[in-house]
Amino acid sequence: DGLHKDPKVEEYMAGAVRIGLYSDLYHFMRFSLIPAQMAGECSRTWERGISVAGAEPTKLHLDMEDSDTGQDMSPEQRVEWLQDVISRLEMPKGIYSGWGWWLGRMANSTVFSHLPLWTAGYPLGNLPMVDASGVAGHSPWLYGGWQGWDIWQFTSSGQVSGIAGRVDLNVAQEGVFNMPTEEQVKGWIAEAITKHETWKHSLGEDFREAVKGKIASKEWTPIMGPGGELKDIVDNNGNSV
């Protein structure tokens, strides 16, 4: 957010790109900054993401949960402040917030309900969950005119192998991260085969179907460039094939 930066954000994003994961960014919003300054911080975060990933992330989530600054602002002024910030941003945007904060700080404004919502809400209790299996059939509280959510942070007490202590866990609606269409995958396969003629020999006569099968089974992952072109195909260890 300009004041606090995850020291490993570049490492995490680069690792995600290497194994074919889609990356989003989020930026903590501070009412203490004037809209032009806040928009500038957001734009710099976006540019850093592009420089690391080699392509645009799917969107920038504006993290609306600041309870430390803007105490002298009315809900209407906070709404106007966020509108001003958003008007200065050209990248795809979404809102990250929670039911209680939005009702209290934004007076349940519906002005931003056209933007994708990433909501934090624990209607099942903030439980030490290890996966999303326990939230099937449930949904967080909705607010602000949103009729649905893109991403739901369902606990901040999750457990993930390899991470000590509590961690946030989320579920996402299908298609939220702009997963490639079947036609895009076919295009990548065709381009890859053109570039890697040796695959014809290593995979035999049915090499096209073999490559397609490797990608469909997620043994191999195509990596996109900023223009949608194929940059590479990697295996599950992140190694170029």
Side-chain angles (χ1 to χ4, degrees):
D1 63 359
L3 299 177
H4 304 285
K5 175 187 172 184
D6 185 338
K8 291 191 174 183
V9 63
E10 281 89 358
E11 177 185 340
Y12 293 153
M13 288 196 69
V17 169
R18 188 169 59 252
I19 62 173
L21 293 178
Y22 288 78
S23 297
D24 270 7
L25 294 168
Y26 78 97
H27 199 295
F28 195 88
M29 310 296 282
R30 290 189 180 277
F31 294 118
S32 57
L33 301 181
I34 64 173
Q37 290 176 313
M38 189 73 258
E41 293 290 345
C42 288
S43 295
R44 280 186 283 277
T45 294
W46 185 254
E47 292 301 322
R48 282 198 299 269
I50 293 175
S51 68
V52 173
E56 288 193 352
T58 58
K59 66 179 69 67
L60 177 69
H61 297 275
L62 309 180
D63 186 345
M64 297 297 295
E65 54 178 323
D66 180 13
S67 296
D68 297 324
T69 70
Q71 301 286 359
D72 58 342
M73 299 170 68
S74 68
E76 292 74 22
Q77 288 174 319
R78 295 187 190 102
V79 169
E80 291 176 2
W81 179 91
L82 182 56
Q83 285 181 295
D84 195 344
V85 173
I86 288 175
S87 71
R88 301 169 185 268
L89 299 176
E90 297 182 356
M91 76 287 288
K93 297 165 286 291
I95 298 291
Y96 171 92
S97 195
W99 175 82
W101 188 95
W102 196 266
L103 266 65
R105 295 283 172 171
M106 305 293 277
N108 205 30
S109 171
T110 62
V111 171
F112 308 100
S113 61
H114 62 290
L115 296 173
L117 175 64
W118 178 2
T119 187
Y122 314 134
L124 305 177
N126 195 15
L127 305 176
M129 297 182 177
V130 295
D131 57 39
S133 60
V135 303
H138 298 277
S139 185
W141 305 295
L142 292 175
Y143 48 89
W146 279 286
Q147 300 301 305
W149 49 273
D150 275 22
I151 306 173
W152 172 22
Q153 179 185 312
F154 59 88
T155 183
S156 63
S157 299
Q159 301 171 4
V160 175
S161 177
I163 300 179
R166 303 185 308 168
V167 66
D168 297 341
L169 296 181
N170 300 267
V171 290
Q173 302 283 10
E174 185 176 359
V176 163
F177 292 102
N178 300 326
M179 298 301 286
T181 65
E182 183 177 355
E183 289 305 312
Q184 285 177 307
V185 172
K186 288 180 180 178
W188 293 332
I189 292 171
E191 185 178 351
I193 290 171
T194 300
K195 292 182 177 180
H196 300 274
E197 290 294 320
T198 56
W199 285 1
K200 292 183 180 181
H201 306 291
S202 63
L203 296 176
E205 294 182 2
D206 296 328
F207 65 94
R208 288 182 182 271
E209 289 303 313
V211 175
K212 183 177 179 180
K214 289 277 190 180
I215 293 177
S217 66
K218 299 184 179 179
E219 293 180 63
W220 290 353
T221 301
I223 306 300
M224 293 184 299
E229 73 278 9
L230 181 76
K231 291 179 63 178
D232 197 3
I233 295 183
V234 298
D235 61 20
N236 287 333
N237 294 317
N239 299 316
S240 175
V241 297

